[in-house]
Amino acid sequence: MYKIESTEIMKKIMREYFLSLDSGTKKVAWCTSVGPAELLRSFGFEVFFPENHGALLGATRTAMDFIPEAIKCGYSGHICSYTTSDIGSYLKKQSPLQKHYGIKGAPKPDILVYNTNQCREVEDWFTFYANEFNCPIVGIHPPRYLDEVTQDEVDLVVKQFKKMIPVCEQVSDQKFDLDKFKDTIKLSREATLLWQKVLKTSTAMNAPLSFFDGTIHMGPIVVLRGTQIAKNYYTTLLAELEENVKNKAGFLPETKTRIFWEGMPIWGKLRMMSDLFTSNDAAVVASTYCSSWVFDKFDENDPWDSTARAYTEIFINRSDTAKEKMLEKWFKEYNIDGIVFHDTKTCFNNSNAKFGMPQRLQKITGVPSLVIEGDLCDLRFFSEGQSITKIETFLEQIEDFKVLN
Ligand code: SF4
């Protein structure tokens, strides 16, 4: 049976990361998942990512226990279920982190830092905690929905980055150190390029890493980028996957169909979804989600512009035209037969099937699409039976189409 051996190393790394956060030895910055982690690490902060906690609440299916608590406080059950489940978990003083790692839960923040390059929800979410913990909050508000990221946008974001420095200095009790910032960017760049190579191993016809595996193995690039640990991990994982490609060992013995996953994972149904595709000989080989942590513009020799550009040009922050170009390129690169759009009920920002994109993409690329409804954490919005029928029918149609052509 196919197994990625590095998984055990990854689990150990994640455990150590959470234990270190809990140790209370360093000041803690909370940061959004595509926020300025490098700047925060250069000030010596431990960095905690509430979205990673949200994903854990989804994956352990505990989110549903917590969402009602946030709703009682006035947060709608139709807004981001990372936000509502995480706030509910805080209010109930319960977290899967207690059971998994034996720690109290999320660490107390000394500073909260967000970037609305992904959504405005993160600002509201972090503001809740700024009020609860009475601690400083700073944010970056880049221009959104961009066709191209020009120097004007980069300059604006750089100014916002630099405005955070005095607050970080005050909270961390450390002066800003440009060399440390550059060193962190270098480590981040190296790890992110390794992560990109990891993902690209699945351009091979015997793909060694599925989208579902990717959602697990992306842990270190989300929470530990800018550290040697993340770089080492992806060096090891890449070596293993490249070896598998060389030996023609893929996660499927025989692949009939290659699928692209667009949108958020359905965290509480990862296993079920993975089994559904594999039992139909369909390999989900690429996704916009896992590719969101490839910041190939990082450049330690141009620290401000390159980080501003890297964080502003991410997929979620782009216009539909720019997104379609990116998808078209990925379809060719990964030899895609069909795309599944996950229309995520509580994340409008990461749902791209609402304004005609599937139809436009099919016209440009010839790649057929399927839209399924669901959610990242709130399983009330996911119908398992309906999704299975839709996906199996879609895969059959792709098969028939391939036979006829
Ligand atoms: S991008 Fe979507 S899932 Fe992520 S924090 Fe924003 S609203 Fe929530």
Side-chain angles (χ1 to χ4, degrees):
M1 192 184 152
Y2 185 80
K3 188 170 172 238
I4 298 174
E5 303 293 339
S6 306
T7 308
E8 292 310 314
I9 304 173
M10 195 262 315
K11 284 185 187 163
K12 188 165 169 277
I13 287 173
M14 294 303 281
R15 164 174 288 277
E16 283 167 3
Y17 162 73
F18 281 111
L19 293 182
S20 145
L21 278 171
D22 193 56
S23 68
T25 50
K26 282 189 181 176
K27 297 219 166 158
V28 176
W30 285 19
C31 183
T32 48
S33 65
V34 277
E38 292 70 20
L39 185 65
L40 297 170
R41 286 205 189 283
S42 78
F43 281 100
F45 288 114
E46 291 273 18
V47 188
F48 173 73
F49 298 85
E51 283 150 82
N52 177 252
H53 188 237
L56 186 64
L57 297 170
T60 52
R61 299 193 202 166
T62 51
M64 306 296 297
D65 302 335
F66 302 131
I67 290 170
E69 295 301 312
I71 293 175
K72 278 189 221 160
C73 290
Y75 290 88
S76 161
H78 291 260
I79 61 153
C80 170
S81 58
Y82 276 171
T83 303
T84 49
S85 58
D86 182 65
I87 288 178
S89 155
Y90 163 79
L91 293 169
K92 269 189 120 173
K93 298 188 176 29
Q94 290 170 16
S95 160
L97 291 172
Q98 294 158 343
K99 190 172 155 211
H100 280 265
Y101 303 115
I103 62 175
K104 295 183 287 290
K108 187 176 166 300
D110 294 290
I111 184 170
L112 296 144
V113 181
Y114 63 86
N115 189 339
T116 59
N117 55 355
Q118 57 185 97
C119 61
R120 61 151 279 180
E121 282 81 342
V122 289
E123 183 175 355
D124 293 275
W125 183 2
F126 278 34
T127 301
F128 169 86
Y129 287 115
N131 294 331
E132 284 294 310
F133 292 106
N134 195 21
C135 79
I137 178 165
V138 281
I140 296 168
H141 301 86
R144 297 218 55 201
Y145 312 116
L146 302 166
D147 267 343
E148 300 290 339
V149 179
T150 68
Q151 193 59 39
D152 287 351
E153 280 96 29
V154 171
D155 291 345
L156 184 82
V157 175
V158 167
K159 273 192 200 144
Q160 296 186 28
F161 259 81
K162 288 186 175 172
K163 265 193 179 170
M164 298 195 315
I165 290 179
V167 189
C168 290
E169 285 183 332
Q170 201 187 8
V171 177
S172 67
D173 228 357
Q174 285 189 27
K175 287 302 278 178
F176 173 66
D177 182 330
L178 184 62
D179 288 332
K180 273 194 197 162
F181 184 40
K182 286 182 175 181
D183 290 347
T184 318
I185 292 170
K186 182 171 182 285
L187 282 171
S188 227
R189 177 176 57 78
E190 289 166 345
T192 205
L193 292 180
L194 285 162
W195 173 238
Q196 185 179 41
K197 284 187 181 166
V198 162
L199 294 175
K200 286 192 181 188
T201 57
S202 282
T203 56
M205 289 322 275
N206 285 75
L209 182 87
S210 74
F211 157 65
F212 304 102
D213 297 327
T215 61
I216 307 300
H217 287 274
M218 63 190 256
I221 199 64
V222 177
V223 302
L224 284 162
R225 64 179 183 276
T227 69
Q228 188 68 38
I229 303 167
K231 183 184 160 188
N232 292 349
Y233 178 63
Y234 291 112
T235 305
T236 305
L237 177 63
L238 179 62
E240 181 184 348
L241 298 181
E242 283 181 338
E243 188 63 22
N244 290 353
V245 170
K246 208 165 78 191
N247 297 330
K248 301 207 176 330
F251 63 87
L252 271 187
E254 192 200 348
T255 302
K256 285 192 189 150
T257 318
R258 292 170 65 86
I259 297 293
F260 192 99
W261 181 278
E262 208 299 301
M264 301 292 293
I266 305 170
W267 286 109
K269 293 287 171 182
L270 280 186
R271 162 69 56 197
M272 175 250 136
M273 277 289 175
S274 173
D275 290 348
L276 172 62
F277 283 98
T278 53
S279 64
N280 285 280
D281 298 324
V284 185
V285 292
S287 66
T288 36
Y289 187 71
C290 290
S291 306
S292 300
W293 282 268
V294 173
F295 305 105
D296 51 4
K297 293 287 163 54
F298 283 155
D299 177 359
E300 62 274 19
N301 299 313
D302 184 13
W304 293 111
D305 274 23
S306 74
T307 39
R309 183 173 288 280
Y311 282 123
T312 305
E313 71 173 22
I314 54 173
F315 183 86
I316 194 171
N317 198 36
R318 307 298 290 282
S319 68
D320 274 15
T321 309
K323 285 178 180 173
E324 285 159 25
K325 279 189 196 148
M326 289 161 95
L327 284 164
E328 192 183 353
K329 188 169 146 277
W330 281 320
F331 286 0
K332 284 191 190 131
E333 199 173 9
Y334 287 87
N335 212 353
I336 294 297
D337 299 310
I339 175 169
V340 174
F341 283 87
H342 172 206
D343 193 20
T344 313
K345 180 68 187 173
T346 71
C347 178
F348 191 89
N349 312 281
N350 228 350
S351 296
N352 288 301
K354 294 187 197 298
F355 295 98
M357 188 186 291
Q359 289 74 6
R360 283 193 303 273
L361 257 186
Q362 181 155 2
K363 214 166 157 190
I364 304 165
T365 63
V367 172
S369 60
L370 171 74
V371 181
I372 58 163
E373 287 170 6
D375 194 55
L376 51 149
C377 289
D378 193 338
L379 294 177
R380 284 177 310 161
F381 299 118
F382 176 69
S383 161
E384 187 164 323
Q386 203 181 70
S387 302
I388 291 173
T389 309
K390 280 172 106 172
I391 290 170
E392 289 190 331
T393 309
F394 180 59
L395 295 175
E396 275 168 26
Q397 284 167 349
I398 295 176
E399 271 302 291
D400 292 347
F401 180 80
K402 280 167 87 176
V403 171
L404 288 173
N405 290 275

